[in-house]
Amino acid sequence: MNTKIGPNQECPCGSNRKFKKCCKSKGIPWAGLSPEGFARQQTIRGKNIMFFNHLASCLNLWDIIDNSRTPQERMSALKAAMTPEAVADIHNAIPTFWPDRDDFYRALTLECEHSNGLYVGTYEAGKVAPVLNRHSMYHDSIIFVDPLLDPRAVIDDLNPVIHPEQHLAVTLHAVLIWIELGPWIEAGIVKVIRCPSVFNDGLYEQCGLAGKRRYEQHAELQRCMEAELERTADSSALLTAKALSDPDERWLQMYKDEGLAEKWTEQEFLSGLAGMRARSPMYSPSQSEPQFLHTTTGASYEMAKHICHHTGGHIVTDSIYRIREMEIDRKEGNVVEDIWSQFSLAFQNVRLKSLDGIKLDDTLKLRQDGYLDSMRSFLRKTWRATASSEDYSSESVEDLGAELHERVREANTEWKQIDQNLLKWFGTESFIAGVTVGVVAANTSWLPMASAAAAAAINVYQSRQQRSDFVHRYPAGFFLQPIRNELR
């Protein structure tokens, strides 16, 4: 078998670069490496792709996510595949891809050449895409901490390799997050890492104590925690999973205690419960043992600072509590941040309707066409024009939102003017889309017409050039769906 890697092939390390521009000069014997040896040469993206392929093998994912299936059929098939054997296989492989401390920090250090945001916040299936849609417009990559438990970091009684039958629900939910992140990982935008505490004895306790001291010293944080818990209680995937994992007997007792027989028969009640379990991403029908349930925000604030130190990144969060921690730490002089640290907090909370329509394909097009730097520059200038001392506050969020809204309005006005310029020459919008620039003169009798046509062609060329350069000149136009459609 020919194992030679062509210079223009993608590099085996997963950097998303050509082999000749990456690892070719290192002389790595790729074909002879063991799985662990291979992992030690991988970038984070490379490790992620290998691990995703392992997930796919354990759960037969490629068949499950087949487009011919309905969403409900996919969910049912995934739940059926989430057996104790699959759970053990998934977690058993984690040390292969992340073998030790040296390899972990080697991989993190490679990310320092990029503009990175580390996401800490809501790690729930279906809720990470909106974060990516916003923040990937100006970051090279967004780093996530793997929601899957590392078997090296937990005691035997809670270990998913030793007791996989108790980890069906949380593993199912974590895999759904991986599936959601999959296209972003392939594109090189999302990087998923392990928690550093796995490789650092005492780091978890050290970060925990620092966070606890801050919490105890600031009543504001205590009030903020209470408010955040109250705000998220009804939508918590953890609480939903706990409730659905309760046996039917407990549900039937509640059915009797609450007098629900007046509304539904016992059979109707149990049928409705079965439907809730079938739809929930946090319930596996294979579970017969009590389930170990946990939730995560990715990392504590202190742990997040540690990761950012080693990746040259900054924190991106949708958690008000984490934002308050950052503000307090900054005021006490314990953290040095760049402009993106505070901007990302404000941008996460800006209400701008057009942001909701941005998808992965739009972000990829933004990058492929070379507009990423233009967008960064635009957002940086907008933030500096609205924030006092580059601090995060509710007022800065409102000011940023208002300024972005105005910039979007200006971009929309300019785009309409370009269309109007084209309409002057050709009269219909349908013709604008297909117009080409060029003049053909068959003989001298066409010269006067050719002259007029040439004048038209020059104007058409200028207008079309304005379209192609539009996002460089008006980056806020990227927020408008019609403009993104035109630029695809």
Short mmCIF file of all heavy atoms in Angstrom, two decimals, residues 461-484:
data_model
loop_
_atom_site.label_atom_id
_atom_site.label_comp_id
_atom_site.label_asym_id
_atom_site.label_seq_id
_atom_site.Cartn_x
_atom_site.Cartn_y
_atom_site.Cartn_z
N TYR A 461 -19.55 47.59 -14.70
CA TYR A 461 -18.33 47.05 -14.10
C TYR A 461 -18.08 47.68 -12.74
O TYR A 461 -17.77 46.99 -11.76
CB TYR A 461 -17.14 47.31 -15.02
CG TYR A 461 -15.82 46.87 -14.42
CD1 TYR A 461 -15.43 45.53 -14.49
CD2 TYR A 461 -15.01 47.78 -13.76
CE1 TYR A 461 -14.25 45.12 -13.92
CE2 TYR A 461 -13.82 47.37 -13.19
CZ TYR A 461 -13.44 46.05 -13.27
OH TYR A 461 -12.28 45.65 -12.70
N GLN A 462 -18.23 49.00 -12.66
CA GLN A 462 -17.99 49.69 -11.40
C GLN A 462 -18.98 49.23 -10.32
O GLN A 462 -18.61 49.01 -9.17
CB GLN A 462 -18.09 51.20 -11.60
CG GLN A 462 -16.94 51.77 -12.41
CD GLN A 462 -17.14 53.23 -12.72
OE1 GLN A 462 -18.26 53.76 -12.66
NE2 GLN A 462 -16.05 53.92 -13.06
N SER A 463 -20.25 49.07 -10.72
CA SER A 463 -21.26 48.64 -9.75
C SER A 463 -21.01 47.22 -9.28
O SER A 463 -21.15 46.90 -8.09
CB SER A 463 -22.66 48.75 -10.36
OG SER A 463 -22.99 50.09 -10.60
N ARG A 464 -20.64 46.34 -10.23
CA ARG A 464 -20.36 44.96 -9.84
C ARG A 464 -19.10 44.88 -8.97
O ARG A 464 -19.01 44.08 -8.05
CB ARG A 464 -20.21 44.08 -11.09
CG ARG A 464 -21.54 43.83 -11.80
CD ARG A 464 -21.34 43.05 -13.08
NE ARG A 464 -20.93 41.69 -12.83
CZ ARG A 464 -21.78 40.69 -12.56
NH1 ARG A 464 -23.08 40.93 -12.52
NH2 ARG A 464 -21.35 39.47 -12.35
N GLN A 465 -18.11 45.73 -9.27
CA GLN A 465 -16.91 45.77 -8.43
C GLN A 465 -17.25 46.25 -7.03
O GLN A 465 -16.72 45.77 -6.04
CB GLN A 465 -15.86 46.70 -9.06
CG GLN A 465 -14.48 46.58 -8.43
CD GLN A 465 -13.88 45.20 -8.64
OE1 GLN A 465 -14.11 44.57 -9.66
NE2 GLN A 465 -13.12 44.73 -7.66
N GLN A 466 -18.20 47.22 -6.96
CA GLN A 466 -18.65 47.68 -5.66
C GLN A 466 -19.29 46.54 -4.88
O GLN A 466 -19.13 46.43 -3.66
CB GLN A 466 -19.66 48.83 -5.82
CG GLN A 466 -19.01 50.14 -6.23
CD GLN A 466 -20.06 51.21 -6.45
OE1 GLN A 466 -21.13 50.96 -7.01
NE2 GLN A 466 -19.77 52.41 -5.99
N ARG A 467 -20.04 45.68 -5.58
CA ARG A 467 -20.65 44.52 -4.90
C ARG A 467 -19.57 43.58 -4.35
O ARG A 467 -19.65 43.14 -3.22
CB ARG A 467 -21.54 43.75 -5.88
CG ARG A 467 -22.92 44.34 -6.06
CD ARG A 467 -23.73 43.48 -7.02
NE ARG A 467 -25.09 43.99 -7.14
CZ ARG A 467 -26.18 43.28 -6.85
NH1 ARG A 467 -26.07 42.06 -6.45
NH2 ARG A 467 -27.39 43.81 -6.97
N SER A 468 -18.59 43.27 -5.19
CA SER A 468 -17.57 42.31 -4.77
C SER A 468 -16.72 42.84 -3.62
O SER A 468 -16.23 42.07 -2.81
CB SER A 468 -16.68 41.92 -5.95
OG SER A 468 -15.94 43.04 -6.40
N ASP A 469 -16.55 44.15 -3.54
CA ASP A 469 -15.73 44.74 -2.49
C ASP A 469 -16.57 45.22 -1.30
O ASP A 469 -16.05 45.81 -0.36
CB ASP A 469 -14.95 45.95 -3.03
CG ASP A 469 -13.91 45.53 -4.05
OD1 ASP A 469 -13.54 44.34 -4.04
OD2 ASP A 469 -13.49 46.38 -4.84
N PHE A 470 -17.86 44.93 -1.35
CA PHE A 470 -18.79 45.57 -0.43
C PHE A 470 -18.45 45.28 1.04
O PHE A 470 -18.41 46.19 1.87
CB PHE A 470 -20.23 45.11 -0.73
CG PHE A 470 -21.25 45.79 0.12
CD1 PHE A 470 -21.69 47.07 -0.20
CD2 PHE A 470 -21.77 45.18 1.25
CE1 PHE A 470 -22.63 47.71 0.58
CE2 PHE A 470 -22.70 45.81 2.03
CZ PHE A 470 -23.15 47.08 1.70
N VAL A 471 -18.20 44.02 1.37
CA VAL A 471 -17.99 43.68 2.78
C VAL A 471 -16.67 44.23 3.30
O VAL A 471 -16.52 44.50 4.48
CB VAL A 471 -18.07 42.15 2.99
CG1 VAL A 471 -17.75 41.77 4.43
CG2 VAL A 471 -19.47 41.66 2.64
N HIS A 472 -15.70 44.45 2.41
CA HIS A 472 -14.48 45.12 2.84
C HIS A 472 -14.77 46.56 3.24
O HIS A 472 -14.23 47.08 4.21
CB HIS A 472 -13.43 45.10 1.72
CG HIS A 472 -12.72 43.79 1.58
ND1 HIS A 472 -12.02 43.21 2.61
CD2 HIS A 472 -12.63 42.94 0.53
CE1 HIS A 472 -11.50 42.07 2.20
NE2 HIS A 472 -11.86 41.88 0.95
N ARG A 473 -15.66 47.20 2.47
CA ARG A 473 -15.96 48.61 2.73
C ARG A 473 -17.05 48.79 3.78
O ARG A 473 -17.04 49.76 4.54
CB ARG A 473 -16.39 49.31 1.43
CG ARG A 473 -15.27 49.38 0.40
CD ARG A 473 -15.68 50.11 -0.86
NE ARG A 473 -16.74 49.40 -1.57
CZ ARG A 473 -17.98 49.85 -1.70
NH1 ARG A 473 -18.33 51.00 -1.17
NH2 ARG A 473 -18.89 49.15 -2.38
N TYR A 474 -18.01 47.86 3.81
CA TYR A 474 -19.12 47.93 4.77
C TYR A 474 -19.28 46.57 5.45
O TYR A 474 -20.21 45.82 5.14
CB TYR A 474 -20.43 48.31 4.06
CG TYR A 474 -20.47 49.73 3.56
CD1 TYR A 474 -20.01 50.04 2.28
CD2 TYR A 474 -20.93 50.76 4.37
CE1 TYR A 474 -20.03 51.34 1.82
CE2 TYR A 474 -20.95 52.07 3.91
CZ TYR A 474 -20.50 52.35 2.64
OH TYR A 474 -20.53 53.65 2.19
N PRO A 475 -18.39 46.22 6.39
CA PRO A 475 -18.48 44.90 7.04
C PRO A 475 -19.82 44.63 7.71
O PRO A 475 -20.25 43.48 7.81
CB PRO A 475 -17.35 44.94 8.09
CG PRO A 475 -16.37 45.94 7.54
CD PRO A 475 -17.22 46.98 6.87
N ALA A 476 -20.51 45.68 8.17
CA ALA A 476 -21.80 45.48 8.82
C ALA A 476 -22.83 44.90 7.87
O ALA A 476 -23.84 44.32 8.30
CB ALA A 476 -22.32 46.80 9.39
N GLY A 477 -22.59 45.01 6.56
CA GLY A 477 -23.51 44.43 5.59
C GLY A 477 -23.59 42.92 5.69
O GLY A 477 -24.58 42.32 5.28
N PHE A 478 -22.55 42.30 6.27
CA PHE A 478 -22.55 40.85 6.44
C PHE A 478 -23.69 40.40 7.35
O PHE A 478 -24.13 39.26 7.29
CB PHE A 478 -21.21 40.41 7.03
CG PHE A 478 -21.07 38.92 7.18
CD1 PHE A 478 -20.85 38.11 6.08
CD2 PHE A 478 -21.15 38.33 8.44
CE1 PHE A 478 -20.71 36.73 6.23
CE2 PHE A 478 -21.02 36.97 8.59
CZ PHE A 478 -20.80 36.17 7.48
N PHE A 479 -24.19 41.29 8.19
CA PHE A 479 -25.28 40.94 9.08
C PHE A 479 -26.62 40.85 8.37
O PHE A 479 -27.60 40.41 8.95
CB PHE A 479 -25.39 41.96 10.22
CG PHE A 479 -24.19 42.02 11.11
CD1 PHE A 479 -23.93 43.15 11.87
CD2 PHE A 479 -23.30 40.96 11.19
CE1 PHE A 479 -22.83 43.21 12.70
CE2 PHE A 479 -22.20 41.00 12.03
CZ PHE A 479 -21.95 42.14 12.78
N LEU A 480 -26.69 41.28 7.12
CA LEU A 480 -27.95 41.28 6.38
C LEU A 480 -28.03 40.04 5.49
O LEU A 480 -27.15 39.79 4.67
CB LEU A 480 -28.07 42.55 5.53
CG LEU A 480 -28.21 43.85 6.34
CD1 LEU A 480 -27.99 45.06 5.43
CD2 LEU A 480 -29.60 43.93 6.98
N GLN A 481 -29.10 39.28 5.63
CA GLN A 481 -29.25 38.03 4.89
C GLN A 481 -29.19 38.22 3.38
O GLN A 481 -28.52 37.45 2.68
CB GLN A 481 -30.57 37.36 5.29
CG GLN A 481 -30.79 35.99 4.64
CD GLN A 481 -29.83 34.95 5.17
OE1 GLN A 481 -29.65 34.82 6.37
NE2 GLN A 481 -29.20 34.20 4.26
N PRO A 482 -29.89 39.22 2.78
CA PRO A 482 -29.82 39.39 1.32
C PRO A 482 -28.40 39.61 0.81
O PRO A 482 -28.03 39.12 -0.26
CB PRO A 482 -30.70 40.61 1.06
CG PRO A 482 -31.64 40.67 2.23
CD PRO A 482 -30.83 40.19 3.39
N ILE A 483 -27.60 40.32 1.58
CA ILE A 483 -26.22 40.58 1.16
C ILE A 483 -25.39 39.30 1.27
O ILE A 483 -24.59 38.99 0.38
CB ILE A 483 -25.62 41.72 2.00
CG1 ILE A 483 -26.36 43.03 1.67
CG2 ILE A 483 -24.12 41.87 1.72
CD1 ILE A 483 -25.93 44.21 2.53
N ARG A 484 -25.60 38.53 2.33
CA ARG A 484 -24.87 37.25 2.46
C ARG A 484 -25.25 36.31 1.31
O ARG A 484 -24.41 35.59 0.79
CB ARG A 484 -25.16 36.61 3.81
CG ARG A 484 -24.58 37.37 4.99
CD ARG A 484 -24.40 36.45 6.20
NE ARG A 484 -25.65 35.83 6.60
CZ ARG A 484 -26.57 36.41 7.37
NH1 ARG A 484 -26.39 37.66 7.80
NH2 ARG A 484 -27.66 35.76 7.73
#
